[in-house]
Amino acid sequence: MTTALHRTIAVLPGDGIGPEVTRAAVQLLRDCASAFGHQFEFREYPFGGHAIDRCGVPLPPETLAGCRASDAVLLGAIGGPRWESLPLGTRPEAGLLAIRKELGLYINLRPIRLRPALRDISPLRPERLADCDFEIVRELAGDIYFGEHKMSQDKASDVAEYSVAEIERVARYAFERAGRRKGHLTSVDKANVLASSTLWRDTVTALARAYPHVTVDHQYVDNASMQILLRPAQFDVILTGNMFGDILSDEAAALTGSIGLIPSLSRGRPGQPALYEPIHGSAPTLAGKDVACPLGAIFSATLMLRESFGLAVESQWIEDAVDRVLEQGYRTPDIAEPASRRVGGSEFTLKIRAELDVAPARREL
Ligand code: IPM
Ligand code: MG
């Protein structure tokens, strides 16, 4: 029998499709809690453009306090055309950067895993896709994102900066994950041009001595972006900086068929609340039509169960139900093919919930 847990989850639905996809994820977490006897308490807070409209800022103090007081944070998506004309530092995106900074989230994990039933929607040929299962560890609190940004009439600059300590703390996490997987770490940088990347490479190389069971190689980011398409199976864990990680993770997500499928974990020091969010955006053109795929948010919830709460059985129970629904051919319109059984996002979630009933929770595990 697993021990019953009591956990508080801050929910930040945000903008666009954020509210509908987080609703789906929360429903499955509720089902999980009642099936296994856990207590999950959900507290919803305004965030992003929605918070700008309601409170004047994208990250209101009550939202930040609520996140700090929670065991984990579930975030939907932020942004949209409505706020695009605002100055950079006041837009919904500034709220996302602020919450990462305030919660000290310097590690961002993006698992790139194909769902077997969705192989057909990948743009890559099946033989190239074989064994595509890797993780991107993106540094999340430094780099060009957080260096000084300057802008005048005819000139602008952004500073890319890293310290040894910033590189080491995220690299340790990536080495440890690689050690628990296939033992292969690929560090991605642009050390043939950038000073910050040269420090990155030297620091990772020095740290590698502490992890003799992990094989390390280094790729320049331009080559890595090509290798991800040519031979994705060569990767186990990719470690990279904030900017390159942002770009490479969208590219890698496309291999799985849709960016709508990929979850992420952002965390800092152990013991602090981690934040879970799909890597997709707010998709304003899909919002409110019940057509968006909620899987990025649902897998963010299963990642939370596994990584923050240590509930691997519960996490697998939900993911197995998702895979069965996909095998039955159900797809939301955004990932549907002509032969698919098209259902809206809310019906898709109902199908998953029905599958949870088919395979009741095995509490004795
Ligand atoms: C992501 C997003 C964000 C980022 C944006 C919305 C600020 O693209 O989480 O990948 O660039 O980090
Ligand atoms: Mg991105």
Side-chain angles (χ1 to χ4, degrees):
M1 184 106 176
T2 44
T3 327
L5 297 185
H6 184 174
R7 293 287 181 269
T8 305
I9 302 169
V11 181
L12 279 44
D15 310 316
I17 60 170
E20 45 198 280
V21 298
T22 41
R23 198 175 310 126
V26 166
Q27 243 155 18
L28 296 181
L29 286 171
R30 284 192 199 283
D31 291 342
C32 170
S34 58
F36 286 85
H38 302 304
Q39 254 181 291
F40 296 152
E41 215 175 299
F42 298 94
R43 305 215 177 120
E44 203 173 298
Y45 299 98
F47 186 58
H50 169 73
I52 294 178
D53 294 349
R54 263 188 55 181
C55 324
V57 284
L59 175 60
E62 56 148 328
T63 300
L64 184 58
C67 292
R68 286 205 168 114
S70 68
D71 295 300
V73 182
L74 180 67
L75 197 158
I78 47 112
R82 187 179 158 80
W83 306 281
E84 259 161 28
S85 55
L86 294 175
L88 267 186
T90 64
R91 289 162 53 144
E93 289 80 355
L96 192 54
L97 298 187
I99 202 171
R100 289 173 180 170
K101 196 77 182 168
E102 293 292 337
L103 296 179
L105 310 174
Y106 53 85
I107 294 165
N108 182 229
L109 175 77
R110 300 185 164 188
I112 306 297
R113 240 187 87 199
L114 290 173
R115 308 315 297 188
L118 293 180
R119 288 184 94 81
D120 290 351
I121 66 167
S122 172
L124 273 205
R125 290 204 300 273
E127 65 272 22
R128 296 222 161 169
L129 273 179
D131 302 323
C132 169
D133 175 4
F134 61 94
E135 293 184 340
I136 297 181
V137 174
R138 167 188 177 195
E139 197 288 330
L140 201 63
D143 203 358
I144 200 162
Y145 274 67
F146 290 96
E148 191 186 7
H149 306 292
K150 281 203 292 201
M151 198 163 159
S152 65
Q153 270 312 1
D154 63 347
K155 211 171 162 188
S157 64
D158 305 274
V159 176
E161 232 170 9
Y162 267 124
S163 68
V164 169
E166 284 172 324
I167 301 165
E168 277 182 352
R169 63 184 183 178
V170 67
R172 276 201 195 94
Y173 178 81
F175 273 107
E176 278 155 25
R177 284 207 78 94
R180 287 196 299 270
R181 290 173 51 100
K182 295 181 212 147
H184 178 198
L185 182 76
T186 305
S187 176
V188 173
D189 60 40
K190 188 70 185 169
N192 50 349
V193 175
L194 302 177
S196 54
S197 276
T198 305
L199 187 73
W200 181 280
R201 190 173 285 217
D202 292 348
T203 306
V204 173
T205 304
L207 199 62
R209 286 185 216 116
Y211 300 90
H213 306 300
V214 177
T215 311
V216 184
D217 52 33
H218 302 266
Q219 287 183 5
Y220 296 132
V221 63
D222 45 351
N223 179 32
S225 69
M226 180 175 70
Q227 295 298 330
I228 284 174
L229 293 181
L230 288 180
R231 233 164 34 84
Q234 73 183 278
F235 297 110
D236 180 21
V237 174
I238 293 178
L239 164 67
T240 191
N242 205 347
M243 183 82 254
F244 300 151
D246 179 45
I247 299 166
L248 292 181
S249 57
D250 273 29
E251 185 198 8
L255 295 183
T256 68
S258 167
I259 195 168
L261 305 171
I262 304 298
S264 77
L265 147 67
S266 303
R267 50 159 281 185
R269 284 183 287 116
Q272 301 292 313
L275 181 148
Y276 296 82
E277 57 171 324
I279 78 162
H280 62 67
S282 60
T285 56
L286 306 185
K289 300 181 187 151
D290 199 28
V291 294
C293 175
L295 286 179
I298 289 172
F299 292 140
S300 296
T302 58
L303 196 60
M304 176 190 294
L305 290 174
R306 209 175 316 124
E307 296 291 328
S308 277
F309 302 162
L311 299 176
V313 171
E314 286 81 341
S315 176
Q316 197 60 48
W317 178 65
I318 297 175
E319 291 193 10
D320 287 348
V322 169
D323 284 332
R324 289 197 299 277
V325 169
L326 292 172
E327 270 148 31
Q328 291 156 17
Y330 292 107
R331 308 277 187 272
T332 47
D334 59 340
I335 59 165
E337 294 177 293
S340 305
R341 299 159 94 170
R342 273 173 185 254
V343 287
S346 44
E347 200 186 333
F348 185 71
T349 309
L350 282 177
K351 297 276 177 212
I352 300 169
R353 301 183 71 194
E355 276 301 319
L356 294 176
D357 291 338
V358 170
R362 287 174 297 155
R363 289 167 192 247
E364 74 279 7
L365 284 180

